[in-house]
């Protein structure tokens, strides 16, 4: 497929645009990448996603698509190689369930653990641990959510591994405990070792700096 | 066996053991009821008392402990929009999602927008008071403005027939007027949303849909009770 028919509007720090990059790379789809400055959004972004004004936006044959999980499903339906979702409808439903669980339950708790202090932070950390433990059960003892190879849920959730390592360092709390979550912990390690996954990651030192600065800004704003 | 007898036999096998854990009028439950009914699928209803959940519900949905749960051949399906996609994949008649991938993505987008933005903003407008309510109404109307535009030139969000987005917004059709009556405030300006109001009427009148329409008096009682709880907690500003 010609490169100019597929365009991804993203941002280098966003895990949501990273998910889409991973899916495109897994399927070997050529695309044009446009880095958006989120402090100064382009007219193109605002035109393609007027409802949320957010990235990622995938544009295919001039048709814009928004919301990362919806984009992943679209990619899977249009390009059939290296399928993300399983064939069996019940397994597909389970995959959709877990991807939604990550966004609805794990992410907000992790965000709160990162941005709050004191008792609020303690509660958030506890909730994050509980939700990650529940996520671990979704692995059902497999190496990846997709089985022997990565699939929809791995791509939807895998970024949490890097994020948690970095934010854990900054707040001094280990959010993925290899002792209490051995399967999830080894899943994260295995996922991040996959070459195509590693290749798409933003420069980790730059990202760490960015997250540290963000953390400082958040704490400063909270105390004023 | 004749081919039509084989089709029926196959349908019976697929339908075997289909149970829906539900309440009578939960917005999320009704979506699943309507989808099953539109496709002519037989199922057993298991009504739950949410203040005293059955051990079976808790076993099938230990994570969220919520309805709807659809159990198909002993396997539980959770989360209403996930259930709708499953139903559409197993039972191909009367499809609720379009075939074209970009149209499917658009339908999923608006169903998600409904749950992520419209529902919380309308609920907020319903439970708040005073200035908070005024602000909540503004937000709700902004969100509904996006939705209104999706109905341009169409009877339903899905076109001529009911689809995923219509089912996802079904709660608006039966609850908007209930909310307005209970809290005594016009939540949406009827002049600004002619297409939405027409859609509400079309959806409410649609065959199959109206057969599982929750009785209005029960909804009034139910939401009156909710409203009292929420407004007694908050002092008007």
């Amino acid at each position: 497929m010609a490169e100019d028919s597929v365009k991804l509007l993203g941002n280098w720090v966003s895990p949501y645009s990273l998910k889409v990059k991973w899916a495109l790379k897994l399927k070997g789809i050529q695309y044009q990448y446009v880095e958006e400055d989120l402090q100064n959004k382009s007219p193109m972004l605002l035109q393609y996603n007027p409802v949320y004004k957010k990235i990622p936006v995938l544009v295919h044959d001039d048709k814009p698509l928004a919301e990362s999980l919806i984009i992943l499903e679209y990619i899977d339906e249009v390009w059939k190689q290296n399928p993300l979702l399983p064939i069996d409808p019940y397994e597909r439903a389970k995959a959709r369930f877990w991807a939604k669980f990550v966004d609805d339950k794990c992410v907000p708790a992790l965000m709160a653990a990162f941005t709050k202090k004191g008792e609020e932070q303690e509660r958030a950390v506890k909730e994050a641990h509980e939700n990650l433990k529940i996520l671990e059960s979704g692995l059902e003892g497999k190496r990846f959510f997709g089985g022997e190879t990565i699939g929809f849920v791995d791509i939807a959730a895998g970024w949490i591994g890097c994020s948690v390592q970095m934010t854990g360092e900054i707040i001094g709390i280990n959010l993925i405990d290899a002792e209490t979550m051995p399967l999830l912990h080894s899943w994260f390690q295995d996922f991040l070792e996959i070459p195509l996954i590693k290749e798409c990651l933003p420069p980790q030192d730059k990202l760490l700096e960015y997250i540290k600065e963000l953390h400082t800004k958040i704490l400063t704003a909270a105390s004023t | 066996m004749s081919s039509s007898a084989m089709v029926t036999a196959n349908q019976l096998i697929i339908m075997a053991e289909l149970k829906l854990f539900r309440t009578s009028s939960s917005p999320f439950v009704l979506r699943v009821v309507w989808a099953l009914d539109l496709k002519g699928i037989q199922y057993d209803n298991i009504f739950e008392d949410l203040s005293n959940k059955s051990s079976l519900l808790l076993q099938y949905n230990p994570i969220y402990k919520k309805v709807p749960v659809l159990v198909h051949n002993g396997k539980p399906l959770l989360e209403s929009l996930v259930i709708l996609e499953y139903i559409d994949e197993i039972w191909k008649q009367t499809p609720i999602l379009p075939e074209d991938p970009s149209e499917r993505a658009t339908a999923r987008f608006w169903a998600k927008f409904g749950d992520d933005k419209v529902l919380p903003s309308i609920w907020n407008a319903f439970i708040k008071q005073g200035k908070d309510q005024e602000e909540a109404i503004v937000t709700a109307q902004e969100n509904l403005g996006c939705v209104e535009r999706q109905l341009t030139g169409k009877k339903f969000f899905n076109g001529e027939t009911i689809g995923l987005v219509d089912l996802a917004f079904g709660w608006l059709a039966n609850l908007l007027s209930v909310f307005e009556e209970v809290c005594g405030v016009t939540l949406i300006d009827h002049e600004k949303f002619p297409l939405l109001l027409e859609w509400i009427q079309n959806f409410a009148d649609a065959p199959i849909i109206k057969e599982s329409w929750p009785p209005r008096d029960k909804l009034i009682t139910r939401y009156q009770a909710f409203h009292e709880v929420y407004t007694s907690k908050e002092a008007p500003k």
Side-chain angles (χ1 to χ4, degrees), chain B residues 69-84:
Chain B
V69 176
L70 186 70
V71 182
H72 188 204
N73 293 329
K75 293 185 286 196
L77 285 306
L78 315 175
E79 297 293 286
S80 59
L81 294 180
V82 174
I83 295 173
L84 291 188

Side-chain angles (χ1 to χ4, degrees), chain A residues 49 51-52 63-67 70 73-74 77-78 87-90 92-94 96-98 100-101 103-105 134 137, chain B residues 61 63-64 75-79 81-82 85-86 89-90 99-106 108-110 112-113 116-117 146:
Chain A
N49 191 359
V51 173
Y52 289 113
K63 283 175 293 194
L65 303 139
E67 297 297 285
I70 293 174
E73 292 232 31
Y74 175 83
E77 286 173 10
V78 173
I87 296 178
D88 175 72
Y90 186 67
R92 291 162 75 84
K94 279 203 291 192
R96 288 177 176 130
F97 173 84
W98 286 115
K100 194 171 191 299
F101 180 80
D103 279 356
D104 289 352
K105 291 291 184 187
I134 293 172
S137 74
Chain B
N61 191 357
I63 295 173
Y64 290 113
K75 293 185 286 196
L77 285 306
L78 315 175
E79 297 293 286
L81 294 180
V82 174
E85 297 242 17
Y86 176 83
E89 284 174 15
I90 299 270
E99 277 190 32
D100 173 73
S102 69
E103 286 175 35
R104 291 163 76 85
T106 303
R108 288 172 177 140
F109 177 90
W110 288 107
K112 189 172 194 293
F113 181 78
D116 289 353
K117 294 288 179 192
C146 301

Side-chain angles (χ1 to χ4, degrees), chain A:
Chain A
M1 200 142 281
E3 189 190 280
D4 49 11
S5 78
V6 184
K7 192 158 43 187
L8 173 63
L9 282 68
N11 181 273
W12 72 280
V13 306
S14 162
Y16 299 92
S17 61
L18 182 56
K19 289 184 222 178
V20 179
K21 281 190 198 166
W22 280 332
L24 291 168
K25 187 130 185 136
L26 182 64
K27 290 179 179 272
I29 300 161
Q30 302 293 316
Y31 64 99
Q32 183 201 347
Y33 177 72
V34 177
E35 174 74 17
E36 280 286 331
D37 175 358
L38 299 180
Q39 309 307 321
N40 187 19
K41 293 173 181 176
S42 72
M44 182 169 62
L45 174 60
L46 301 178
Q47 178 204 324
Y48 281 142
N49 191 359
V51 173
Y52 289 113
K53 307 174 178 41
K54 283 184 178 178
I55 54 95
V57 173
L58 188 77
V59 187
H60 181 210
D61 291 338
D62 290 321
K63 283 175 293 194
L65 303 139
E67 297 297 285
S68 61
L69 295 182
I70 293 174
I71 295 172
L72 292 189
E73 292 232 31
Y74 175 83
I75 289 172
D76 211 31
E77 286 173 10
V78 173
W79 291 277
K80 308 284 190 194
Q81 66 275 26
N82 295 339
L84 300 177
L85 278 167
I87 296 178
D88 175 72
Y90 186 67
E91 295 298 318
R92 291 162 75 84
K94 279 203 291 192
R96 288 177 176 130
F97 173 84
W98 286 115
K100 194 171 191 299
F101 180 80
V102 167
D103 279 356
D104 289 352
K105 291 291 184 187
C106 300
V107 173
L110 291 169
M111 287 284 284
F114 181 61
T115 57
K116 305 288 179 198
K117 287 187 291 195
E119 259 186 53
E120 266 192 282
Q121 185 182 48
E122 278 173 35
R123 271 199 303 270
V125 168
K126 184 165 182 286
E127 199 184 322
H129 268 138
E130 282 165 6
N131 289 334
L132 288 169
K133 197 76 192 133
I134 293 172
L135 181 62
E136 185 181 59
S137 74
L139 265 173
E140 295 172 352
K142 299 184 303 227
R143 187 165 176 234
F144 297 112
F145 283 92
E148 277 307 300
T149 54
I150 58 172
F152 190 75
V153 182
D154 303 285
I155 290 190
W159 63 272
I160 292 179
C162 320
S163 172
V164 151
Q165 267 166 24
M166 287 195 189
T167 56
E169 252 182 68
I170 294 168
I171 65 174
I173 298 173
N174 184 8
L175 291 161
I176 305 277
D177 189 334
E179 272 180 41
T180 57
M181 300 176 210
L183 297 176
L184 201 67
H185 186 257
S186 56
W187 166 64
F188 280 142
Q189 305 303 315
D190 287 350
F191 179 75
L192 296 172
E193 281 303 304
I194 295 171
L196 79 89
I197 297 299
K198 266 202 295 203
E199 280 159 27
C200 294
L201 290 176
Q204 298 292 280
D205 46 0
K206 251 181 96 182
L207 187 60
L208 185 60
E209 272 318 298
Y210 177 87
I211 296 177
K212 276 186 181 156
E213 270 177 42
L214 185 62
H215 192 239
T216 310
K217 273 188 213 160
I218 290 169
L219 291 185
T220 313
S223 56
T224 51

Side-chain angles (χ1 to χ4, degrees), chain A residues 70, chain B residues 27 30-31 34-35 38 80-81 84-85 88 95-98 102-115 118 143-144 146-151 154-159 161-173 196 199-200 203 209:
Chain A
I70 293 174
Chain B
L30 285 176
R31 292 172 182 175
W34 285 325
L38 281 169
S80 59
L81 294 180
L84 291 188
E85 297 242 17
D88 215 35
I96 58 176
L97 274 164
S102 69
E103 286 175 35
R104 291 163 76 85
T106 303
R108 288 172 177 140
F109 177 90
W110 288 107
K112 189 172 194 293
F113 181 78
D115 280 0
V118 180
N143 290 331
L144 285 172
C146 301
V147 176
E148 170 86 1
R149 286 190 280 280
Q150 296 311 303
L151 284 166
K154 295 192 286 190
K155 184 180 182 194
F156 296 111
F157 290 101
N158 196 44
T161 58
I162 287 170
L164 182 81
V165 182
D166 302 283
L167 297 181
F169 275 103
W171 63 270
L172 193 64
L196 198 56
W199 171 80
I200 285 176
F203 187 77
I209 299 297

